[in-house]
Amino acid sequence: MSEQVLPFYLVCDESWSMEGPDGVDAINGCLPDLHREIGSNPVVADKTRFCIISFNHEAQVLLPLADLSELTTMPAMSANGGTEYGTVFNLLRSTIEQDVARLKQDGHQVLRPAVFFLSDGQPNDSADWHVAYQRVIDPSWSARPNILAFAFNEADEGIIKQIATVRAFSYNGTLKPAQALQEFAQSLIRSIVRSGTSGGADGGMTLAMPDTVPGFTTIPADVV
Amino acid sequence: MSSERLVPDRPDDEWRPVLGTVAPAPPQLPGEVFEHPPSYRNPHPMGGVPRGLPRSDEAVPDTVLDGADFERLVVRAASLRGDEHRYYGEPRQDSVALWPVTLAGGDALVACVADGVGSQPNSHRGSALACAYLREEVEKLPKDWTWDHVDGFAATARWIAMAMENWAHRHDLPPASLSTTLVAAVVEVAPADGRHRFEVLRVGDSPAYLLRNGELTEFAPPRSSEGGILDTATDALPSHPSAVRTVKGDLGKGEVLMLCSDGLSNPMRSDEVRAQLQEWWTRSDEPPGILEFGWQLGFRAKSFGDDRSAVCVWAR
């Protein structure tokens, strides 16, 4: 039996600078909320899938693309290591490719995936990551995702703008770091809920994006 | 509360608790004696619950059922609010309509399904208007009209779009807020030779099918998108009247013409759903009653929460 599926990817920096209550702890604290809110909403639970990819100088799929209403536990992030973008974009491309292929093989109708990307630092591989990133947004790749990118603390606003394909957000200090990260998680929850439920401008399910996120300044994405 | 009151229809020995079980079975409420339509892939139990009535200017009922049994033609129409609109207390955006008209001196049936575009605030009005204006345009067709009119439907679509735009201006609304698809058929009610001629007009992704020899076949199906990401964009009225597509044909005894919204055609991509509908609707000697037809469209399938509408025309 076929289903309509909207896959979400949380791609989150867990380098050492994200350590503690003003870092990964704040996001870890919000993941159960995400789990609960999505799981209890029948409209969203039935058609969204959620994946967590975390990265420092390495990248790993922390939570393989899952139906949140079928999960009983959520993995937590843990900070250490440096920050590299090339590895995580390579992993993101291959993960989406495999997920979409598997969903299609199971007979599902797949909507364009959505990526929420958050980083708090400058990539150490500044010369190399663009190549991996270009493969993620390759216009000839039909499953290329919509990307919302969030710059936190020391992250370079200019780089985050390059990464976002639809909208970027930059931490502006108006909220404490932990609160801002909670707002980031809330914006992810709201986007999932509204994307699963509201028709897009063209009549189908599409990504519902936040216009503003408290604690962050909205910046238009660079046109790609 | 005693469990006896919860299960009034069962003899004592069936509901009496078994010693040693840990969790009690969920109570069987009296309403559950109703046989629910089929359910596919275990959709969320709260999914179909209508949690509110829509706040809209005019009543948009949750469900519309209609039908008629002509001597040699049976028609059934149903439009059901989707699980998502029910859950959020929002109006059904699909419309269906059936009208008798006189065409070229003979009786004809006008049947339509329109699917208001999801994000547009007035698309439930738009879908109803598209159906109503279609009927007006069909009634204006000239006396010498023949069942070879498909080219003329391009003008019909333009007039419908124009009438919708005028309506929007009169009500001070952006025309695009009415955006809707439309699939409509004009069917001969009592043909001399026993084959019911029909013509279909379509704008957007609401399809038409022919059920023949137990198989539902879509007229002019869209090419599947390369790479497999679902393309949700659709042409719509009043913006794209030039996107009109037409088809003509005839219905012999035992055949069915089916028009629907993508709230039905999307889950129909599953073999189980399609096979069930084919089985129900192939029995042309005994098409479903009006309520039964609505029940058949009321199946639930995980992740398919869109409004669901269809018209079936059986030749007999």
Side-chain angles (χ1 to χ4, degrees):
Chain A
M1 174 73 202
S2 167
E3 291 172 31
Q4 289 186 319
V5 177
L6 178 53
F8 276 85
Y9 294 84
L10 169 60
V11 179
C12 194
D13 190 336
E14 57 173 0
S15 58
W16 66 266
S17 53
M18 285 289 285
E19 192 175 17
D22 288 341
V24 290
D25 290 357
I27 296 173
N28 285 338
C30 294
L31 291 178
D33 295 347
L34 178 96
H35 189 191
R36 191 168 46 247
E37 288 205 36
I38 308 303
S40 64
N41 181 321
V43 175
V44 182
D46 279 1
K47 68 172 117 189
T48 56
R49 299 283 190 283
F50 187 65
C51 169
I52 303 175
I53 292 177
S54 64
F55 69 96
N56 43 30
H57 55 280
E58 293 173 330
Q60 52 273 309
V61 176
L62 214 55
L63 173 69
L65 193 69
D67 185 335
L68 283 182
S69 55
E70 290 173 2
L71 280 189
T72 51
T73 57
M74 290 277 271
M77 277 174 284
S78 167
N80 65 62
T83 306
E84 285 187 18
Y85 287 176
T87 340
V88 70
F89 285 129
N90 280 331
L91 181 65
L92 181 62
R93 161 98 196 205
S94 62
T95 306
I96 293 177
E97 244 170 5
Q98 288 162 18
D99 289 343
V100 170
R102 185 170 41 80
L103 289 165
K104 293 287 298 173
Q105 202 173 3
D106 292 344
H108 298 316
Q109 302 161 29
V110 186
L111 290 135
R112 184 165 308 289
V115 170
F116 276 65
F117 179 93
L118 181 134
S119 177
D120 79 328
Q122 314 248 5
N124 305 132
D125 57 340
S126 55
D128 305 326
W129 65 268
H130 293 90
V131 178
Y133 173 72
Q134 288 303 324
R135 292 188 64 239
V136 173
I137 59 159
D138 182 356
S140 68
W141 180 35
S142 72
R144 67 190 174 281
N146 292 312
I147 304 176
L148 282 85
F150 290 72
F152 187 60
N153 281 347
E154 306 296 316
D156 185 323
E157 195 177 291
I159 290 180
I160 286 295
K161 267 171 68 178
Q162 290 173 39
I163 290 172
T165 64
V166 283
R167 203 159 287 163
F169 301 87
S170 179
Y171 175 60
N172 58 20
T174 56
L175 289 180
K176 288 180 178 158
Q179 283 176 303
L181 288 175
Q182 283 164 20
E183 292 295 343
F184 160 73
Q186 277 302 316
S187 76
L188 170 64
I189 296 174
R190 279 195 297 273
S191 174
I192 293 178
V193 170
R194 290 185 12 236
S195 301
T197 59
S198 62
D202 49 15
M205 270 192 309
T206 50
L207 178 64
M209 291 169 293
D211 292 324
T212 56
V213 178
F216 291 84
T217 303
T218 307
I219 37 181
D222 284 351
V223 177
V224 291
Chain B
M1 187 188 293
S2 81
S3 51
E4 189 172 7
R5 276 191 297 146
L6 291 173
V7 283
D9 295 327
R10 294 206 164 184
D12 280 3
D13 54 348
E14 279 189 25
W15 63 264
R16 193 177 295 281
V18 178
L19 290 175
T21 53
V22 179
Q28 288 224 331
L29 299 173
E32 300 208 0
V33 297
F34 172 73
E35 189 187 339
H36 288 278
S39 193
Y40 301 94
R41 273 189 88 89
N42 200 20
H44 198 291
M46 286 291 288
V49 177
R51 296 195 306 166
L53 294 168
R55 291 184 186 277
S56 46
D57 294 343
E58 68 299 314
V60 185
D62 177 273
T63 299
V64 169
L65 301 175
D66 205 354
D69 291 41
F70 301 100
E71 193 180 339
R72 284 158 58 194
L73 206 64
V74 174
V75 60
R76 297 288 178 257
S79 182
L80 280 68
R81 187 157 58 137
D83 283 359
E84 293 173 17
H85 287 146
R86 283 177 178 158
Y87 190 75
Y88 289 103
E90 292 167 351
R92 173 172 47 87
Q93 293 171 326
D94 278 10
S95 293
V96 290
L98 303 175
W99 282 291
V101 294
T102 303
L103 264 185
D107 288 337
L109 167 74
V110 173
C112 22
V113 174
D115 177 355
V117 168
S119 60
Q120 294 295 342
N122 305 298
S123 68
H124 61 291
R125 301 298 301 264
S127 65
L129 286 169
C131 294
Y133 287 135
L134 171 90
R135 175 233 195 159
E136 282 185 20
E137 290 307 317
V138 171
E139 288 189 320
K140 286 180 198 159
L141 292 171
K143 293 262 184 294
D144 60 352
W145 190 85
T146 64
W147 288 91
D148 194 17
H149 178 72
V150 282
D151 294 340
F153 275 153
T156 305
R158 276 200 304 278
W159 286 115
I160 295 170
M162 208 176 289
M164 289 176 71
E165 281 171 358
N166 288 340
W167 190 95
H169 293 313
R170 282 201 304 281
H171 292 79
D172 211 14
L173 294 171
S177 76
L178 298 174
S179 291
T180 181
T181 71
L182 177 66
V183 57
V186 185
V187 188
E188 206 175 11
V189 170
D193 63 358
R195 290 196 75 83
H196 302 259
R197 286 171 289 184
F198 67 81
E199 297 195 358
V200 173
L201 163 162
R202 291 177 61 188
V203 177
D205 63 7
S206 297
Y209 294 80
L210 186 63
L211 176 57
R212 180 178 277 168
N213 302 323
E215 285 284 329
L216 275 161
T217 309
E218 184 177 350
F219 291 111
R223 281 178 302 138
S224 61
S225 57
E226 198 181 333
I229 291 295
L230 183 62
D231 184 8
T232 54
T234 179
D235 291 317
L237 292 172
S239 310
H240 313 114
S242 59
V244 67
R245 283 169 289 168
T246 56
V247 64
K248 62 176 180 173
D250 52 47
L251 277 185
K253 190 176 171 185
E255 295 173 347
V256 187
L257 176 66
M258 197 268 274
L259 317 175
C260 68
S261 63
D262 67 352
L264 181 63
S265 61
N266 279 332
M268 264 177 57
R269 296 187 202 188
S270 285
D271 292 342
E272 295 154 271
V273 174
R274 183 183 278 253
Q276 179 61 81
L277 297 175
Q278 287 171 171
E279 187 196 325
W280 279 330
W281 295 344
T282 295
R283 302 177 203 146
S284 62
D285 51 333
E286 198 185 351
I290 293 173
L291 288 176
E292 189 181 3
F293 185 70
W295 181 92
Q296 291 172 345
L297 285 193
F299 67 85
R300 300 196 55 234
K302 182 174 177 175
S303 85
F304 293 98
D306 204 357
D307 295 343
R308 192 176 296 153
S309 304
V311 174
C312 283
V313 182
W314 283 261
R316 61 176 181 180

